[in-house]
mmCIF file of all heavy atoms in Angstrom:
data_model
loop_
_atom_site.group_PDB
_atom_site.id
_atom_site.type_symbol
_atom_site.label_atom_id
_atom_site.label_comp_id
_atom_site.label_asym_id
_atom_site.label_seq_id
_atom_site.Cartn_x
_atom_site.Cartn_y
_atom_site.Cartn_z
ATOM 1 N N ARG A 599 -7.405 9.649 -10.843
ATOM 2 C CA ARG A 599 -7.245 8.340 -11.459
ATOM 3 C C ARG A 599 -7.794 8.268 -12.873
ATOM 4 O O ARG A 599 -8.046 7.211 -13.381
ATOM 5 C CB ARG A 599 -7.906 7.274 -10.575
ATOM 6 C CG ARG A 599 -7.088 6.977 -9.375
ATOM 7 C CD ARG A 599 -5.793 6.282 -9.779
ATOM 8 N NE ARG A 599 -4.638 7.085 -9.477
ATOM 9 C CZ ARG A 599 -3.451 6.937 -10.064
ATOM 10 N NH1 ARG A 599 -3.272 6.057 -11.001
ATOM 11 N NH2 ARG A 599 -2.449 7.698 -9.727
ATOM 12 N N THR A 600 -7.986 9.413 -13.492
ATOM 13 C CA THR A 600 -8.431 9.364 -14.870
ATOM 14 C C THR A 600 -7.278 8.921 -15.754
ATOM 15 O O THR A 600 -6.117 9.180 -15.444
ATOM 16 C CB THR A 600 -8.949 10.728 -15.342
ATOM 17 O OG1 THR A 600 -9.241 10.634 -16.733
ATOM 18 C CG2 THR A 600 -7.921 11.827 -15.148
ATOM 19 N N PHE A 601 -7.572 8.237 -16.830
ATOM 20 C CA PHE A 601 -6.531 7.849 -17.765
ATOM 21 C C PHE A 601 -6.404 8.863 -18.892
ATOM 22 O O PHE A 601 -5.617 8.717 -19.791
ATOM 23 C CB PHE A 601 -6.806 6.444 -18.324
ATOM 24 C CG PHE A 601 -6.351 5.388 -17.384
ATOM 25 C CD1 PHE A 601 -7.079 5.088 -16.248
ATOM 26 C CD2 PHE A 601 -5.149 4.731 -17.583
ATOM 27 C CE1 PHE A 601 -6.642 4.137 -15.354
ATOM 28 C CE2 PHE A 601 -4.699 3.776 -16.691
ATOM 29 C CZ PHE A 601 -5.445 3.480 -15.574
ATOM 30 N N ILE A 602 -7.221 9.912 -18.830
ATOM 31 C CA ILE A 602 -7.112 10.989 -19.811
ATOM 32 C C ILE A 602 -6.086 11.978 -19.282
ATOM 33 O O ILE A 602 -6.257 12.539 -18.204
ATOM 34 C CB ILE A 602 -8.472 11.704 -20.002
ATOM 35 C CG1 ILE A 602 -9.574 10.701 -20.304
ATOM 36 C CG2 ILE A 602 -8.370 12.775 -21.078
ATOM 37 C CD1 ILE A 602 -9.408 9.909 -21.557
ATOM 38 N N GLN A 603 -5.022 12.180 -20.016
ATOM 39 C CA GLN A 603 -4.019 13.146 -19.592
ATOM 40 C C GLN A 603 -4.617 14.545 -19.629
ATOM 41 O O GLN A 603 -5.208 14.938 -20.633
ATOM 42 C CB GLN A 603 -2.807 13.091 -20.543
ATOM 43 C CG GLN A 603 -1.963 11.841 -20.375
ATOM 44 C CD GLN A 603 -1.334 11.763 -18.998
ATOM 45 O OE1 GLN A 603 -0.817 12.748 -18.498
ATOM 46 N NE2 GLN A 603 -1.411 10.592 -18.376
ATOM 47 N N PRO A 604 -4.456 15.325 -18.549
ATOM 48 C CA PRO A 604 -5.019 16.676 -18.575
ATOM 49 C C PRO A 604 -4.284 17.559 -19.583
ATOM 50 O O PRO A 604 -3.096 17.378 -19.811
ATOM 51 C CB PRO A 604 -4.792 17.181 -17.150
ATOM 52 C CG PRO A 604 -3.784 16.288 -16.546
ATOM 53 C CD PRO A 604 -3.819 14.993 -17.275
ATOM 54 N N SER A 605 -5.008 18.472 -20.182
ATOM 55 C CA SER A 605 -4.369 19.426 -21.082
ATOM 56 C C SER A 605 -3.466 20.332 -20.251
ATOM 57 O O SER A 605 -3.571 20.386 -19.025
ATOM 58 C CB SER A 605 -5.425 20.280 -21.772
ATOM 59 O OG SER A 605 -6.034 21.108 -20.804
ATOM 60 N N GLN A 606 -2.596 21.073 -20.906
ATOM 61 C CA GLN A 606 -1.668 21.935 -20.175
ATOM 62 C C GLN A 606 -2.431 22.941 -19.317
ATOM 63 O O GLN A 606 -2.082 23.201 -18.177
ATOM 64 C CB GLN A 606 -0.738 22.650 -21.175
ATOM 65 C CG GLN A 606 0.398 23.431 -20.520
ATOM 66 C CD GLN A 606 1.310 22.549 -19.670
ATOM 67 O OE1 GLN A 606 1.402 21.340 -19.883
ATOM 68 N NE2 GLN A 606 1.944 23.158 -18.676
ATOM 69 N N THR A 607 -3.523 23.490 -19.860
ATOM 70 C CA THR A 607 -4.310 24.472 -19.106
ATOM 71 C C THR A 607 -4.844 23.860 -17.825
ATOM 72 O O THR A 607 -4.794 24.458 -16.759
ATOM 73 C CB THR A 607 -5.515 24.954 -19.950
ATOM 74 O OG1 THR A 607 -5.052 25.208 -21.247
ATOM 75 C CG2 THR A 607 -6.163 26.169 -19.353
ATOM 76 N N ILE A 608 -5.350 22.638 -17.947
ATOM 77 C CA ILE A 608 -5.896 21.954 -16.770
ATOM 78 C C ILE A 608 -4.762 21.592 -15.820
ATOM 79 O O ILE A 608 -4.862 21.789 -14.606
ATOM 80 C CB ILE A 608 -6.646 20.672 -17.200
ATOM 81 C CG1 ILE A 608 -7.872 21.022 -18.042
ATOM 82 C CG2 ILE A 608 -7.040 19.848 -15.990
ATOM 83 C CD1 ILE A 608 -8.990 21.660 -17.268
ATOM 84 N N ARG A 609 -3.648 21.086 -16.363
ATOM 85 C CA ARG A 609 -2.539 20.670 -15.524
ATOM 86 C C ARG A 609 -2.039 21.836 -14.672
ATOM 87 O O ARG A 609 -1.668 21.680 -13.526
ATOM 88 C CB ARG A 609 -1.406 20.131 -16.393
ATOM 89 C CG ARG A 609 -0.429 19.239 -15.635
ATOM 90 C CD ARG A 609 0.820 19.006 -16.451
ATOM 91 N NE ARG A 609 0.537 18.492 -17.770
ATOM 92 C CZ ARG A 609 0.417 17.196 -18.054
ATOM 93 N NH1 ARG A 609 0.548 16.313 -17.112
ATOM 94 N NH2 ARG A 609 0.174 16.809 -19.281
ATOM 95 N N GLU A 610 -2.032 23.016 -15.258
ATOM 96 C CA GLU A 610 -1.538 24.183 -14.536
ATOM 97 C C GLU A 610 -2.427 24.550 -13.351
ATOM 98 O O GLU A 610 -2.017 25.309 -12.479
ATOM 99 C CB GLU A 610 -1.394 25.377 -15.496
ATOM 100 C CG GLU A 610 -0.135 25.249 -16.364
ATOM 101 C CD GLU A 610 -0.106 26.272 -17.466
ATOM 102 O OE1 GLU A 610 -1.021 27.111 -17.510
ATOM 103 O OE2 GLU A 610 0.828 26.222 -18.276
#
Side-chain angles (χ1 to χ4, degrees):
R599 285 292 115 201
T600 174
F601 278 76
I602 308 298
Q603 288 297 316
S605 68
Q606 188 59 24
T607 315
I608 295 289
R609 200 193 306 272
E610 283 170 4

